[in-house]
């Protein structure tokens, strides 16, 4: 492994403790001691990249870092030879996910609409893993999704993990160039199309996994066939809030159907709720919300209660890596544990209607359908 590349969490390591936090790897306690190269690198990573560890007080003021490990990644999986795509990889949860995967030796394709030059350089610096690639992906454009998928298929011979993390909360815009609502397109229609376009590569690499970031706001949806591509004319916060919930609920519905249709292929599909996380979504929310009282309330909630992005990435990484979940499909995870789904997720007739309407909206070709 030497100086050029050191895997962060490969199985030769015994867990070490730093600032009250440790990876719970008791099953590997008989491995070489903490002075192994990988453990030394892990310490180096923590010193250089504070974003890769939980801060002393978590995210908000009232959130202390939990003492138990049940809501954290405990997998010791080494990802040398594996390839992952992470959307929304430039910041927040996506960036932390990239950092975690890269530190395990994974080849990571960072996909985002933003310039990722600096974030890529930081990942390489913190992990000593040069196998990091950036690709432009604008989920607000169906053509961009197709171009991205085509590029990946041409350049990659395997895909072990597709992590759909990118998303937005609310926006002032009401329509994209495709005639779709931006929140629905970025959070749902775009990932739906992307999964379909990359499914053959995922099957080729099986066992492989698809993990998508949903939200607890999915429980506050009013999704129907009529408002699948909703028209935000009122501009009211409650309507925009429900629109976000609709996009995240639709993502759960689609993921469940994909999981069912991929049975026997070795490709699993699940969704997660990352928690209430202080990410770049929040400042953007302020610029859209014009109600001063509501704006102030959101700001205080963010400062006091939210998780930091590192904590927010834990469930996402857990579902992408845990060997205990190799054959688990169609589940919704919260704090690394399965959780109940929003009402309506088990209504097969309704879910199939949403699925069929989505196929038409994203213009799936017959050969692209599952």
């Amino acid at each position: 492994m030497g100086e050029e590349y050191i895997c962060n969490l490969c199985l030769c390591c015994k867990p070490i403790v730093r600032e009250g936090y440790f990876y719970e790897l008791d099953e590997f306690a008989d491995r070489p001691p903490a002075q192994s190269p990988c453990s030394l690198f892990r310490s180096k990573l923590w010193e250089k990249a504070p974003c890769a560890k939980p801060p002393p007080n978590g995210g908000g003021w009232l959130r202390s870092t939990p003492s138990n490990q049940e809501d954290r990644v405990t997998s010791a999986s080494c990802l040398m030879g594996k390839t992952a795509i992470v959307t929304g990889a430039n910041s927040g949860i996506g960036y932390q996910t990239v950092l975690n995967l890269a530190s395990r030796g994974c080849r990571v394709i960072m996909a985002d609409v933003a310039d990722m030059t600096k974030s890529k350089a930081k990942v390489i610096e913190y992990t000593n893993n040069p196998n990091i690639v950036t690709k432009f992906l604008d989920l607000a454009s169906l053509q961009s999704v197709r171009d991205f998928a085509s590029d990946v298929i041409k350049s990659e011979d395997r895909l072990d993990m597709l992590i759909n993390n990118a998303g937005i909360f609310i926006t002032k815009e009401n329509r994209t160039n495709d005639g779709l609502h931006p929140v629905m397109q970025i959070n749902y229609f775009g990932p739906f199309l992307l999964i379909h376009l990359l499914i053959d590569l995922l099957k080729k690499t099986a066992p492989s996994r698809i993990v998508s970031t949903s939200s607890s706001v999915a429980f506050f949806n009013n999704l129907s066939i009529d408002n699948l591509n909703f028209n935000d004319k009122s501009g009211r916060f409650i309507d925009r809030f429900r629109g976000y919930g609709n996009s995240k609920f639709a993502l759960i519905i689609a993921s469940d159907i994909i999981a069912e249709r991929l049975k026997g292929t070795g490709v699993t599909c699940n969704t997660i709720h990352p928690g209430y996380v202080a990410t770049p979504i929040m400042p953007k929310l302020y610029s859209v919300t014009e109600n001063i009282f509501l704006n102030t309330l959101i700001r205080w909630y963010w400062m006091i209660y939210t998780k930091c992005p590192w904590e927010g990435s834990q469930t996402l990484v857990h579902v992408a890596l845990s060997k205990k979940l190799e054959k688990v499909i169609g589940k919704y995870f919260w704090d690394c544990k399965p959780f109940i789904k929003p009402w309506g997720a088990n209504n097969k007739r309704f879910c199939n209607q949403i699925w069929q309407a989505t196929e038409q909206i994203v213009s799936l070709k017959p050969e692209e359908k599952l």
Side-chain angles (χ1 to χ4, degrees):
M1 293 186 296
E3 293 182 358
E4 292 186 3
Y5 183 78
I6 299 177
C7 172
N8 181 17
L9 289 175
C10 67
L11 303 187
C12 69
C13 297
K14 179 180 178 181
I16 58 175
V17 177
R18 290 290 184 275
E19 299 185 13
Y21 173 70
F22 63 94
Y23 284 94
E24 188 177 11
L25 308 178
D26 293 339
E27 61 268 38
F28 303 112
D30 58 343
R31 299 283 179 169
Q35 296 304 313
S36 67
C38 292
S39 292
L40 292 175
F41 171 68
R42 219 179 325 175
S43 175
K44 180 181 177 183
L45 172 66
W46 283 343
E47 292 173 1
K48 293 180 64 178
C51 53
K53 64 181 179 179
N57 294 312
W61 298 335
L62 297 185
R63 280 195 56 81
S64 59
T65 302
S67 59
N68 67 73
Q69 303 297 314
E70 293 181 357
D71 58 352
R72 300 235 186 120
V73 179
T74 58
S75 172
S77 296
C78 179
L79 300 179
M80 294 286 286
K82 305 287 187 179
T83 299
I85 291 175
V86 180
T87 68
N90 189 57
S91 61
I93 297 171
Y95 173 76
Q96 292 297 325
T97 300
V98 171
L99 197 63
N100 194 313
L101 300 181
S103 67
R104 297 167 184 263
C106 187
R107 171 177 171 82
V108 184
I109 300 173
M110 300 175 66
D112 209 310
V113 69
D115 182 2
M116 293 172 280
T117 304
K118 291 183 179 179
S119 54
K120 174 185 175 181
K122 287 181 180 178
V123 171
I124 294 174
E125 176 189 357
Y126 295 154
T127 66
N128 277 350
N129 180 354
N131 206 5
I132 309 299
V133 179
T134 60
K135 292 183 184 292
F136 178 82
L137 171 62
D138 182 5
L139 289 168
S141 166
L142 296 179
Q143 186 57 52
S144 177
V145 174
R146 289 188 174 277
D147 292 343
F148 172 82
S150 177
D151 185 17
V152 169
I153 292 170
K154 290 178 182 177
S155 62
E156 306 298 324
D157 59 0
R158 66 180 299 129
L159 179 57
D160 301 89
M161 288 163 278
L162 173 57
I163 299 177
N164 294 304
N165 168 74
I168 61 173
F169 192 18
I170 60 177
T171 176
K172 290 182 178 180
E173 288 73 30
N174 190 37
R175 284 292 179 267
T176 66
N177 291 333
D178 294 312
L180 305 175
H181 193 278
V183 172
M184 287 300 299
Q185 182 161 356
I186 294 172
N187 295 356
Y188 173 56
F189 295 131
F192 181 92
L193 177 60
L194 184 61
I195 291 172
H196 280 77
L197 297 178
L198 294 177
I199 201 64
D200 287 340
L201 188 56
L202 287 160
K203 287 180 179 179
K204 174 185 174 183
T205 318
S208 53
R209 304 188 190 189
I210 303 168
V211 188
S212 300
T213 301
S214 182
S215 170
S216 63
V217 182
F219 286 91
F220 301 94
N221 77 87
N222 64 347
L223 183 65
S224 69
I225 292 296
D226 295 332
N227 67 4
L228 181 58
N229 182 30
F230 69 95
N231 196 342
D232 183 19
K233 291 182 177 179
S234 69
R236 296 187 307 169
F237 178 79
I238 186 62
D239 293 331
R240 291 172 171 175
F241 184 78
R242 282 178 176 168
Y244 177 75
N246 290 350
S247 70
K248 293 303 185 179
F249 180 42
L251 191 59
I252 293 175
I253 290 174
S255 295
D256 287 353
I257 294 177
I258 290 170
E260 188 66 27
R261 297 192 178 190
L262 292 180
K263 273 186 176 180
T265 65
V267 183
T268 63
C269 189
N270 294 285
T271 53
I272 67 104
H273 165 55
Y276 305 107
V277 186
T279 69
I281 280 182
M282 300 304 290
K284 293 177 182 177
L285 177 60
Y286 306 151
S287 65
V288 176
T289 307
E290 298 177 356
N291 185 303
I292 297 177
F293 173 77
L294 184 59
N295 213 332
T296 303
L297 186 64
I298 293 171
R299 285 178 181 271
W300 276 100
Y301 179 84
W302 181 34
M303 289 189 295
I304 294 174
Y305 184 72
T306 54
K307 295 179 179 180
C308 68
W310 182 90
E311 290 177 304
S313 70
Q314 294 302 288
T315 301
L316 192 58
V317 176
H318 169 73
V319 177
L321 299 185
S322 176
K323 291 186 177 180
K324 296 179 180 179
L325 304 178
E326 283 181 342
K327 297 183 180 180
V328 174
I329 64 171
K331 297 296 183 181
Y332 173 54
F333 289 84
W334 191 322
D335 284 340
C336 297
K337 296 178 286 291
F339 197 75
I340 60 172
K341 297 174 186 175
W343 181 88
N346 296 318
N347 185 332
K348 290 188 177 181
R349 182 174 177 274
F350 171 71
C351 293
N352 284 328
Q353 288 177 338
I354 295 296
W355 175 274
Q356 292 167 8
T358 304
E359 286 181 326
Q360 295 178 355
I361 289 174
V362 302
S363 302
L364 277 184
K365 301 173 184 177
E367 62 272 19
E368 295 170 345
K369 295 182 179 181
L370 295 180

